[in-house]
């Protein structure tokens, strides 16, 4: 062995071939940390100095090639002075260029993922052989940056501008067969043949069967495009990419600019262009937020994994209530492999719940995402019933009947009589105190809230609400159950609104006050949509349901009378009394008509104005920043309160819950990051 480090080994093989193996000693995966990159520099120097070098193979001993750079180092690195960051990048480019400049053929063997910096390292070699299970890609835009180690320069030269922009602007990893088709990979083989195939390719290059220098020249030269072709390609890409990325995510458009500026430059100058853009983006709030969000999602995964360790297995679930939520929860459970009994008191509701599930599954079959047999199995694993005795074998019961405390408490008490002693009982209530519901049970320690969001198959968050008497075993098992259902659980403590609604409603109350003080709700919607929300507050309340919001606000007013009580009548009261319940009955703040695809499209109608006038002394103009502050400040303060009161355990979980539960703009990172 010529070099044996903590990350890399350099091993001489037959016929002058050197094996550069990435095999991190203290980790199950390979990540290009600063320490690993330093060591790579030493390893490459060893290779350059090796007499008789005839070829280089880069490979990994792990299940995956390289997962990417070490994102935990990004925030510190990016906040360092520009000159320091530039120097670091120069150093790594020097190492990568040295690999590319070796006077011998070079091949990377890729199994599992080759992402970000891992993909960029693979792009330095002349050829890439991929295992059928491998994926390759440059997902940097998801962190608000562009590839920083030459990826935005080498990839377009290898696979063409259009393909490279498609890969990089979407940031989606690509399968081996796709990589082969466009030329990012040169061969795709079964994993067990990967090494031999890569070595065979090297041997053939050494014999002169392939002109590897052509590859080096292709990657190091300008893009092989005529100026007119380049101009057209970039102009078309610009329109499409802006439409997809929107105004708040600058990285995809910066990619187009970088590729265009670097188009007719050789490698070293082109890299300077990439570096400038990379550094500029690395210093934006957007990248800080997106990196923060990524790290938060990692810590949430760790918290969930920890809870799951001591969870009990859930082999059979029961959902009570086959309505909008219950139907969705049963469908989700069945899709993820846990059989479920769906119990209602109304046969029509059961039929509707089952036909909704069948409709969703049919769509997946039609789109080719599911085989008919699988669909039949999933439908077969949902057992509809009107009979309470049928739920006796449940390991977990998820109650999703009407939002009425008396009904729910009656149902829960009845459930406890039927299920086994160890069964866990949960409620999907959105407004009723978990402690109050627990009082209907003999063993409240087995009970907690399990709050799904609508529509269940789409929304990733589940709030797991711990009551005063809930046991840790119950919390852990419900967390594991939600995770098994493909959801991201966040554990919170019981309080009015729990966590997510407690944060959302101060924002909506801020909106009510703004309208009272003269704001035009359409202007408020527009300002908040420009701020980054998927929909403005008036539109959002129409979608949630004016009646649902009205009820939730009553709960919040009672829970926090010092700061959430609205004096007099609000615009929400007006709409509620006029039975304008929003999308569900076709009119609320707006009217809803079906568009060509059968989806509700909002239309303004001035017949809402008398309702506005009834609560508004006189219309007024509001500065955009005032509108934002009057909605966001109450929301952010309430988030701080929840953290201080221990309703939620960490800032990471708080921000994640808001992004996943109410669509808090990701580029702002969550309410606490925004503050
Ligand atoms: P829904 O009115 O659509 O469905 C309720 C179902 O419960 C009906 O099918 C009804 O027949 C059934 N039901 C009533 N009494 C029952 C009983 N004793 N046993 C079994 N079934 C019974 O209501 P939904 O919108 O699905 O809401 C259900 C729960 O989920 C409520 O607690 C609600 O607050 C909560 N929730 C709703 C949403 C939402 O957006 N709809 C979001 C989160 C949470």
């Amino acid at each position: 062995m010529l070099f044996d480090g903590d990350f890399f080994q350099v091993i001489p093989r037959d016929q002058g071939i050197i094996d550069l193996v990435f095999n991190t000693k203290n980790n199950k995966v390979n990540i290009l940390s600063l320490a690993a990159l330093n060591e790579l520099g030493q390893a490459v120097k060893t290779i350059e100095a090796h007499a008789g070098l005839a070829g280089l193979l880069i490979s990994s001993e792990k299940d995956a090639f390289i997962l990417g750079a070490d994102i935990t180092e990004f925030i510190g690195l990016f906040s360092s002075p520009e000159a320091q960051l530039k120097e670091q990048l120069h150093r790594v480019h020097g190492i990568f260029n040295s690999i590319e400049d070796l006077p011998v053929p070079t091949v990377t063997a890729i199994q599992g993922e080759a992402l970000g910096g891992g993909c960029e390292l693979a792009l330095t070699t002349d050829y890439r052989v991929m295992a059928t299970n491998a994926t390759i890609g440059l997902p940097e835009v998801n962190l608000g940056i562009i590839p920083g180690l030459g990826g935005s320069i080498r990839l377009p030269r290898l696979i063409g501008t259009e393909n490279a922009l498609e890969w990089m602007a979407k940031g989606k990893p690509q399968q081996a067969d796709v990589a082969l088709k466009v030329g990012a990979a040169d061969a795709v083989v079964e994993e067990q043949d990967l090494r031999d195939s890569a070595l065979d390719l090297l041997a053939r290059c050494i014999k002169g069967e392939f002109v590897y220098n052509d590859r080096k020249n292709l990657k190091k030269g300008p893009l092989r495009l005529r100026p007119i072709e380049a101009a057209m390609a970039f102009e078309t890409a610009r329109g499409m990419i802006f439409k997809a990325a929107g105004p708040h995510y600058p990285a995809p458009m910066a990619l187009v600019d970088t590729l265009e500026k670097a188009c007719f430059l050789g490698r070293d100058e082109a890299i300077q262009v990439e570096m400038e853009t990379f550094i500029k983006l690395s210093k934006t709030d957007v990248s800080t937020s997106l990196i923060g969000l990524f790290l938060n999602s990692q810590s949430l995964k760790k918290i969930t994994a920890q809870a799951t360790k001591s969870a009990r297995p859930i082999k059979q679930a029961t959902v009570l209530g086959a309505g909008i939520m219950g139907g969705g929860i049963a469908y989700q459970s069945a899709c993820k492999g846990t059989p479920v009994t769906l119990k209602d008191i109304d046969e029509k509701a059961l039929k509707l719940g089952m036909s909704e599930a069948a409709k969703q599954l049919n769509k997946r079959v039609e789109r080719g995402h599911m085989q008919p047999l699988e669909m039949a199995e999933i439908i077969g694993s949902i057992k509809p019933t009107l009979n309470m005795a049928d739920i006796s074998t449940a390991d977990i019961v998820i109650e999703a009947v009407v939002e009425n405390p008396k009904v729910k408490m009656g149902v829960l008490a009845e459930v406890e009589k039927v299920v086994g002693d160890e069964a866990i009982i949960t409620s999907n209530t959105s407004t009723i105190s978990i402690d109050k519901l627990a009082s209907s049970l003999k063993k409240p320690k087995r009970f907690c809230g399990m709050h799904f969001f609508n529509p269940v198959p789409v929304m990733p968050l589940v709030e797991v609400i711990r009551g005063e008497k809930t046991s840790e075993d119950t919390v852990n098992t419900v967390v594991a159950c939600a995770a098994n259902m493909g959801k991201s659980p966040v554990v919170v403590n019981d309080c009015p609104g729990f966590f997510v609604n407690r944060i959302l409603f101060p924002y909506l109350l801020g909106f009510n006050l703004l309208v009272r003080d003269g704001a035009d709700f359409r202007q408020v919607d527009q300002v908040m949509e420009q701020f980054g929300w998927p929909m403005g507050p008036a539109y959002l309340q129409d979608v949630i349901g004016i009646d649902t919001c009205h009820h939730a606000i009553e709960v919040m007013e009672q829970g926090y009378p010092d700061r959430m009580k609205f004096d007099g009548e609000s615009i929400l009261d007006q709409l509620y009394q006029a039975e304008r319940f929003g999308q569900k009955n076709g009119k609320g703040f707006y009217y809803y008509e079906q568009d060509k695809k059968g989806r509700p499209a909002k239309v303004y109608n001035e017949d809402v104005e008398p309702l506005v006038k009834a609560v508004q002394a006189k219309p007024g103009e509001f500065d955009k920043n005032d509108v934002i502050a009057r909605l966001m400040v109450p929301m952010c303060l309430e988030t701080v309160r929840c953290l201080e009161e221990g309703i939620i355990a960490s800032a990471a979980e708080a921000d994640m819950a808001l992004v996943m539960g109410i669509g808090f703009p990701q580029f702002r990172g969550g309410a606490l990051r925004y503050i």
Side-chain angles (χ1 to χ4, degrees), residues 319-327 329 343-350 388 399-404 407-408 410-411 414 427-432 450-456 501 543-544 548 551 584:
V319 176
L320 294 179
I324 302 173
M325 296 305 287
I329 298 166
K343 152 92 177 70
D344 207 292
I345 46 170
D346 178 359
E347 181 141 23
K348 260 202 257 147
L350 274 182
M388 197 55 131
E399 170 277 307
V401 306
V402 283
E403 187 73 350
N404 174 320
V407 174
K408 281 196 192 285
V411 168
E414 208 185 331
S427 172
N428 182 46
T429 178
S430 29
T431 53
I432 306 167
M450 192 175 186
H451 186 206
F452 289 82
F453 291 73
N454 187 15
V456 177
N501 283 341
V543 172
I544 298 175
T548 307
H551 170 65
K584 66 175 74 162

Side-chain angles (χ1 to χ4, degrees), residues 198-255:
L199 284 171
D200 180 55
L201 176 57
L202 261 184
R204 292 169 71 182
C205 288
I206 294 168
K207 271 196 230 151
E209 282 182 41
F210 296 104
V211 190
Y212 58 88
N213 268 326
D214 282 356
R215 263 306 163 76
K216 292 192 202 284
N217 293 336
L218 173 75
K219 286 192 288 145
K220 286 158 73 173
L223 266 166
R224 294 181 182 170
L225 273 180
R226 284 183 296 149
I228 179 84
E229 287 171 336
M232 275 170 62
F234 291 117
E235 224 23 67
T236 317
R238 212 165 252 124
M240 283 183 344
I241 289 177
F242 185 76
K243 201 167 158 218
H248 300 298
Y249 296 86
M253 288 301 277
L255 258 175

Side-chain angles (χ1 to χ4, degrees), residues 353-371:
M354 292 304 288
S355 71
E356 269 303 312
K359 212 160 89 188
Q360 295 293 334
L361 290 166
N362 253 325
K363 271 193 216 157
R364 288 169 70 172
V365 173
E366 276 164 21
R367 290 183 192 141
H369 297 163
M370 185 180 273
Q371 294 298 317

